[in-house]
């Protein structure tokens, strides 16, 4: 006799240095407004998944700043971001031959996006990754982001 439904579905879980993990990738319009998100295994690179998410909405009518960390600083990410009318705001790799200039004052606001990543992780179900299937895990992440955005709206 089976004690539950067999979990059949896509699972984005991979072995990294920290053990079996999953990465959450996110494109946000502001510190309170996530637009697109997806999961990848912990052993997959950040930049390829980030480029897919970046190209999903298409070009913007108004140029906007694109906050990113050093994992996304390669030429493969810079070219599409400029083509899509995004201004990359991120430090170049210190070993780069021709580093670019970036707005250091604007980059200080990057922590707002990092705080957006932190908010869903305050829910134990997300932090401990109870749901192994991507559909369930992303569904609960969506629920957590909605609850957190409602908290931001209701605060005076």
């Amino acid at each position: 006799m089976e004690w539950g439904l067999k979990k059949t579905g896509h699972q984005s879980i991979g072995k990294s240095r920290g053990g079996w993990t999953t990465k959450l990738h996110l494109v946000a319009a502001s510190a309170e407004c996530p637009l697109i998100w997806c999961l990848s295994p912990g052993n997959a690179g950040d930049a390829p998944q980030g480029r897919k998410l970046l190209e999903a909405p298409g070009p913007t009518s108004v140029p906007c700043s694109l906050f990113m960390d050093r994992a996304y600083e390669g030429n493969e990410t810079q070219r599409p971001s400029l083509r899509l009318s995004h201004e990359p705001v991120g430090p170049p790799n210190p070993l780069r031959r021709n580093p670019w200039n970036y707005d250091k004052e604007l980059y200080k606001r990057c922590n707002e996006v990092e705080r957006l990543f932190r908010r869903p992780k305050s829910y134990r179900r997300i932090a401990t990754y109870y749901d192994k299937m991507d559909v369930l895990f992303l569904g609960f992440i969506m629920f957590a982001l909605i609850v957190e955005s409602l908290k931001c709206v209701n605060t005076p």
Side-chain angles (χ1 to χ4, degrees):
M1 175 185 239
E2 288 191 37
W3 287 97
L5 297 173
K6 185 170 174 96
K7 293 181 180 178
T8 57
H10 192 264
Q11 297 181 17
S12 294
I13 192 161
K15 184 133 177 137
S16 65
R17 284 187 251 166
W20 293 97
T21 58
T22 299
K23 292 181 183 177
L24 174 64
H25 304 275
L26 181 73
V27 174
S30 69
E32 293 84 25
C33 183
L35 299 175
I36 304 169
W37 53 85
C38 70
L39 299 174
S40 71
N43 58 346
D46 290 344
Q49 197 67 36
R51 284 191 293 273
K52 286 181 197 173
L53 283 179
L54 185 64
E55 300 220 9
T60 58
S61 57
V62 179
C64 61
S65 299
L66 177 66
F67 293 104
M68 56 187 178
D69 59 12
R70 286 197 175 124
Y72 300 99
E73 71 89 36
N75 292 336
E76 300 84 16
T77 306
Q78 295 287 327
R79 277 188 237 112
S81 64
L82 293 172
R83 182 175 43 80
L84 294 168
S85 302
H86 301 304
E87 178 192 344
V89 178
N93 188 324
L95 301 177
R96 197 175 254 279
R97 284 187 196 169
N98 299 320
W100 58 84
N101 292 326
Y102 66 99
D103 190 347
K104 293 180 182 172
E105 288 302 313
L106 189 60
Y107 184 67
K108 289 179 183 177
R109 293 184 47 211
C110 186
N111 67 18
E112 295 172 9
V113 179
E114 296 298 329
R115 283 184 270 161
L116 180 62
F117 273 102
R118 181 196 54 78
R119 283 188 205 116
K121 291 180 184 177
S122 66
Y123 293 84
R124 193 172 98 185
R125 185 173 181 159
I126 293 173
T128 56
Y129 195 55
Y130 284 163
D131 299 313
K132 300 298 182 212
M133 288 185 4
D134 287 357
V135 173
L136 296 173
F137 191 58
L138 281 173
F140 198 78
I141 288 173
M142 185 182 301
F143 172 75
L145 289 170
I146 290 170
V147 169
E148 291 297 319
S149 67
L150 290 174
K151 284 181 185 178
C152 291
V153 170
N154 291 331
T155 55

